[in-house]
């Protein structure tokens, strides 16, 4: 794929280098802080509404085309007046609220006297895929640039071309950097190559800029392919180890999390490495594509019916599930009650450290694993556990009042990140399933189109605000030193299925009633017969 794309753009493929998974970040080495020094997410909270209302100018932005794009001379105001804008755009209090798809596309394309606000670029490129394929949008953008600005005309005024070229390059750069995954489609790449060829024709400065943009795009797509290949290998290894464990169950007794590392803070750090690594590969468009439905004005198909939709987002959700089942497996496996209690207390401490780091996703996965029925039924084991710390963590992640406590903690972590004095204070890893749920309900609660057929752009401003927060969080570099042994264990250690967990739970603490006895007998006959 990457080689084909490089040839299509006429670029040299970058060296493969180090595999991306847990390799592409440089660790910032530092002394582990004492417990008193460890930052927590709590501090002085600013106005809640100010924290909730993500400012539009905090959305992802690409630096201007260096030395060529003087944005000071362009219209920096996102909200042009109705009279100034392309016909078909509608405003309320100077805010763009709706428009025809055609008008919104025209609003995206630069002219000699106009460059769209970057906030609009991000919002439209994010939401437009609900109505039109990215490759179709790119084709329309190319057509408008060619026709309106006469880029295809050899006799076109060179001064005019020099004025418009850096703006078009800037738009393409923003597109390729923020929505790079769109360009896995060869139709996108062909349109990109056609337009950039026109821009670079006869001008060395623009030819160099096009080359840099193309190289950056190919590099991002190559790293993505390497990451996906690494995920396949990791999942295959985890599957093989689970199969081996079923064949020799006693082998697991000699190898568990505590035998690999008994320091909760270190394990929480390694979980944070995994979380940030996987977050970084989720494209903003995946949040929209996950909910793509048939456009009511399109009688033939729904967008992206022939494309990957949200594979990296799905892989991240699968990681959450794996961690939950791994925690439950580690608790149910030990034969001795004392050992099981020690494992529970260890993961409570890991969860607490995740909370202090700002890693809410691992925190919730650990709590979910402990609350699974095969674990929660181990009453004799839990009687040996000091649960005060666990009760506090459960309270923080309490789902009542729409996760009010968690949302308060998340705002605290976000504020800490904004005012951070160190890289470790910048970490904010949200409870991902709830983030998806929030975006889902935003998408479902408002129509994509108004009754007159216009795009409901008010909705997409709100969608862009939600996704832009995530874009900020996923760019944080993990400051902790990697431990390969712990990472390997967390990613590939056997995690039982629900049935296998129940069987291990019944073996640890026998069935308490007839229903459990019947299930135990059924599981024994079913699972053990497969070994």
């Amino acid at each position: 794929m990457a080689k084909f794309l490089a040839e299509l753009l006429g670029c040299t493929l970058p060296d493969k280098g180090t595999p991306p998974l847990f390799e592409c970040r440089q660790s910032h080495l530092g002394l582990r802080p004492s417990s008193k020094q460890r930052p927590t997410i709590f501090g002085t909270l600013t106005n809640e509404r100010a924290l909730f209302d993500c400012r539009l100018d905090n959305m992802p932005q690409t630096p201007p085309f260096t030395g060529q794009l003087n944005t000071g001379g362009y219209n920096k105001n996102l909200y042009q007046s109705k009279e100034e804008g392309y016909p078909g755009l509608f405003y309320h209090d100077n805010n763009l609220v709706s428009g025809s798809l055609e008008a919104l596309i025209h609003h995206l394309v630069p002219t000699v006297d106009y460059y769209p606000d970057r906030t609009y670029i991000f919002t439209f490129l994010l939401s437009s895929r609900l109505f039109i394929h990215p490759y179709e949008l790119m084709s329309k953008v190319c057509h408008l640039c060619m026709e309106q600005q006469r880029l295809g005309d050899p006799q076109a005024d060179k001064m005019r071309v020099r004025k418009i070229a850096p703006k078009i390059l800037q738009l393409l750069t923003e597109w390729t950097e923020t929505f790079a995954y769109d360009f896995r489609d060869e139709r996108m790449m062909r349109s990109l190559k056609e337009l950039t060829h026109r821009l670079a024709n006869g001008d060395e400065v623009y030819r160099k800029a096009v080359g840099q943009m193309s190289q950056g795009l190919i590099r991002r797509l190559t790293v993505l392919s390497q990451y996906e290949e690494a995920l396949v290998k990791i999942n295959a290894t985890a599957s093989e180890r689970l199969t081996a464990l079923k064949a020799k169950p006693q082998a697991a007794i000699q190898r568990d999390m505590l035998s690999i590392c008994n320091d909760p803070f270190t394990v929480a750090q390694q979980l944070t490495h995994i979380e940030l690594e996987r977050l970084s590969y989720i494209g903003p468009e995946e949040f929209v594509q996950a909910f793509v439905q048939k456009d009511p004005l399109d009688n033939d198909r729904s967008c992206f019916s022939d494309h990957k939709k949200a594979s990296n987002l799905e892989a991240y959700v699968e990681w959450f599930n794996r961690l939950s089942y791994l925690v439950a497996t580690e608790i149910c496996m030990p034969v001795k009650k004392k050992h099981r209690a020690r494992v529970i207390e260890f993961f409570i401490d890991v969860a607490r450290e995740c909370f202090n780091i700002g890693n809410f996703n691992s925190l919730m996965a650990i709590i979910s694993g402990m609350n699974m029925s095969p674990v929660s039924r181990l009453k004799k084991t839990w009687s040996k556990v000091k649960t005060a710390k666990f009760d506090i963590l459960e309270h923080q992640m309490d789902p009542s009042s729409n996760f009010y406590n968690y949302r308060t903690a998340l705002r605290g972590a976000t504020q800490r990140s904004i005012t951070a004095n160190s890289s470790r204070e910048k970490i904010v890893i949200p409870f991902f399933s709830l983030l998806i749920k929030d975006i889902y309900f935003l998408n479902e609660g408002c129509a994509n189109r108004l009754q007159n057929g216009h795009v409901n752009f008010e909705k997409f401003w709100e969608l862009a605000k939600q996704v832009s927060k995530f874009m900020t969080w996923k760019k944080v570099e993990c400051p902790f030193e990697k431990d390969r042994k712990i990472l390997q264990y967390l990613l590939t250690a056997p995690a039982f299925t629900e049935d296998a967990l129940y069987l291990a739970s019944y073996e640890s603490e026998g069935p308490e009633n007839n229903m459990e006895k019947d299930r135990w007998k059924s599981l024994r006959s079913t699972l053990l017969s497969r070994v």
Side-chain angles (χ1 to χ4, degrees):
M1 164 75 77
K3 184 177 181 181
F4 167 75
L5 296 176
E7 292 172 351
L8 194 59
L9 274 176
C11 300
T12 304
L13 188 68
D15 293 335
K16 212 169 186 184
T18 314
L21 193 61
F22 309 115
E23 296 289 353
C24 65
R25 286 187 168 85
Q26 293 294 325
S27 295
H28 299 279
L29 303 181
L31 296 175
R32 167 182 161 177
S34 69
S35 58
K36 291 183 180 179
Q37 294 172 323
R38 294 176 199 169
T40 65
I41 62 168
F42 293 108
T44 303
L45 293 179
T46 61
N47 180 274
E48 289 187 2
R49 183 170 182 178
L51 286 170
F52 180 78
D53 293 332
C54 176
R55 292 183 57 191
L56 291 175
D57 56 8
N58 285 336
M59 289 187 189
Q61 297 188 0
T62 301
F65 176 38
T66 306
Q68 298 295 324
L69 184 57
N70 178 14
T71 56
Y74 303 155
N75 178 14
K76 297 276 286 182
N77 180 11
L78 171 62
Y79 310 115
Q80 289 182 329
S81 71
K82 180 178 176 181
E83 291 72 27
E84 291 174 340
Y86 184 82
L89 297 178
F90 292 88
Y91 299 80
H92 179 69
D93 293 336
N94 272 346
N95 295 337
L96 177 61
V97 295
S98 69
S100 67
L101 182 60
E102 200 64 31
L104 292 169
I105 293 173
H106 274 79
H107 199 51
L108 177 71
V109 178
T111 68
V112 170
D113 303 312
Y114 163 78
Y115 185 79
D117 186 276
R118 293 184 188 125
T119 300
Y120 176 79
I121 294 173
F122 175 74
T123 303
F124 184 68
L125 291 181
L126 176 69
S127 59
S128 62
R129 62 200 68 239
L130 289 168
F131 310 99
I132 183 173
H133 285 278
Y135 77 86
E136 293 172 323
L137 176 61
M138 173 60 82
S139 177
K140 286 179 177 290
V141 168
C142 289
H143 176 75
L144 288 172
C145 289
M146 296 277 201
E147 295 300 314
Q148 289 184 358
Q149 308 308 323
R150 304 197 304 260
L151 292 180
D153 183 1
Q155 304 303 318
D157 182 4
K158 287 188 177 182
M159 184 62 67
R160 179 184 178 85
V161 173
R162 285 177 181 172
K163 286 182 178 180
I164 190 63
K167 298 180 184 179
I168 296 175
L169 275 175
Q170 173 72 9
L171 175 64
L172 296 177
T173 299
E174 300 219 25
W175 197 338
T176 57
E177 288 188 357
T178 308
F179 298 93
Y181 301 172
D182 287 348
F183 294 86
R184 299 183 98 175
D185 186 332
E186 65 179 77
R187 293 167 293 191
M188 287 284 291
M189 297 298 275
R190 288 198 177 103
S191 292
L192 178 65
K193 183 178 181 181
E194 180 183 2
L195 183 53
T196 52
H197 175 74
R198 300 284 188 184
L199 296 174
N201 191 25
D203 195 309
E204 183 62 31
V205 173
Y206 300 143
R207 196 156 38 236
K208 182 178 179 181
V210 166
Q212 291 174 343
M213 179 189 70
S214 301
Q215 285 281 0
L217 175 60
I218 296 302
R219 193 177 302 111
R220 281 186 286 278
L221 295 179
T222 301
V223 170
L224 174 62
S225 294
Q226 293 171 3
Y227 166 74
E228 291 173 341
E229 291 169 8
L231 278 188
V232 170
K233 291 178 182 178
I234 285 171
N235 292 337
T237 301
S239 210
E240 290 169 4
R241 291 188 175 179
L242 181 58
T243 302
L245 177 62
K246 290 177 181 177
K248 294 182 179 179
Q250 295 302 313
I253 297 175
Q254 282 139 43
R255 194 163 183 265
D256 60 8
M257 186 72 251
L258 284 173
S259 69
I260 301 296
C261 178
N262 60 5
D263 179 12
F265 189 62
T266 301
V267 173
Q269 288 180 333
Q270 302 313 303
L271 287 172
T272 302
H273 265 295
I274 297 172
E275 298 279 357
L276 287 174
E277 187 73 31
R278 298 204 173 193
L279 271 182
S280 70
Y281 286 98
I282 299 174
E285 71 282 354
E286 294 193 46
F287 290 99
V288 175
Q289 290 165 195
F291 307 129
V292 163
Q293 297 178 355
K294 188 176 178 65
D295 186 341
L297 298 187
D298 189 339
N299 295 321
D300 298 324
R301 52 168 170 70
S302 62
C303 289
F304 284 86
S305 57
D306 57 344
H307 277 33
K308 83 166 186 76
K309 287 190 176 182
S311 61
N312 296 309
L313 186 150
E314 291 166 4
Y316 190 52
V317 172
E318 288 170 5
W319 153 249
F320 178 94
N321 294 335
R322 170 182 164 75
L323 180 55
S324 295
Y325 276 88
L326 179 62
V327 168
T329 301
E330 292 282 322
I331 294 170
C332 290
M333 278 296 293
V335 176
K336 295 182 178 180
K337 177 173 54 180
K338 185 178 180 181
H339 189 181
R340 291 195 299 273
R342 190 161 72 248
V343 173
I344 290 175
E345 290 183 340
F346 173 76
F347 277 111
I348 290 173
D349 287 338
V350 173
R352 184 181 62 174
E353 296 298 350
C354 286
F355 180 81
N356 289 336
I357 287 171
N359 180 357
F360 298 107
N361 202 55
S362 290
L363 163 63
M364 194 61 178
I366 293 170
I367 291 176
S368 297
M370 290 184 174
N371 282 329
M372 285 184 181
S373 295
V375 176
S376 62
R377 67 167 298 277
L378 299 173
K379 296 177 182 177
K380 295 177 182 177
T381 302
W382 280 97
S383 69
K384 301 292 182 182
V385 175
K386 297 176 182 177
T387 60
K389 289 183 286 187
F390 184 61
D391 293 340
I392 293 172
L393 292 173
E394 279 199 308
H395 176 71
Q396 290 296 333
M397 304 305 287
D398 184 356
S400 63
S401 300
N402 194 18
F403 286 89
Y404 175 81
N405 293 338
Y406 158 70
R407 293 182 191 278
T408 300
L410 180 64
R411 288 195 293 272
T414 302
Q415 181 61 22
R416 183 186 70 178
S417 177
I418 293 170
T419 60
N421 294 317
S422 66
S423 55
R424 63 183 64 203
E425 292 179 344
K426 293 181 180 179
I427 297 170
V428 181
I429 303 173
F431 172 28
F432 198 66
S433 295
L434 188 60
L435 175 63
I436 294 174
K437 179 183 172 184
D438 288 343
I439 293 175
Y440 172 80
F441 280 114
L442 172 61
N443 183 62
E444 290 296 305
C446 303
N448 290 336
R449 290 186 185 268
L450 304 179
Q451 289 184 344
N452 63 1
H454 281 189
V455 173
N456 180 8
F457 215 73
E458 273 189 302
K459 168 182 175 176
F460 297 121
W461 287 131
E462 294 302 319
L463 179 64
K465 287 180 187 179
Q466 292 271 12
V467 176
S468 68
K469 294 177 186 177
F470 166 81
M471 294 291 286
T472 300
W473 294 334
K474 81 167 195 167
K475 290 177 181 177
V476 173
E477 296 281 341
C478 190
F480 307 121
E481 185 176 1
K482 293 179 184 176
D483 187 308
R484 306 291 168 188
K485 193 174 182 181
I486 300 173
L487 288 172
Q488 184 75 2
Y489 187 85
L490 290 169
L491 289 166
T492 63
F496 284 178
T497 62
E498 188 174 7
D499 282 346
L501 283 173
Y502 268 110
L503 181 58
S505 179
Y506 291 141
E507 296 288 347
S508 297
E509 294 186 20
E512 295 185 343
N513 52 53
N514 290 332
M515 188 176 70
E516 287 193 345
K517 288 178 182 178
D518 291 341
R519 183 167 192 177
W520 184 32
K521 290 176 183 177
S522 175
L523 289 172
R524 282 178 63 86
S525 61
T526 303
L527 296 178
L528 296 181
S529 64
R530 296 176 186 168
V531 178

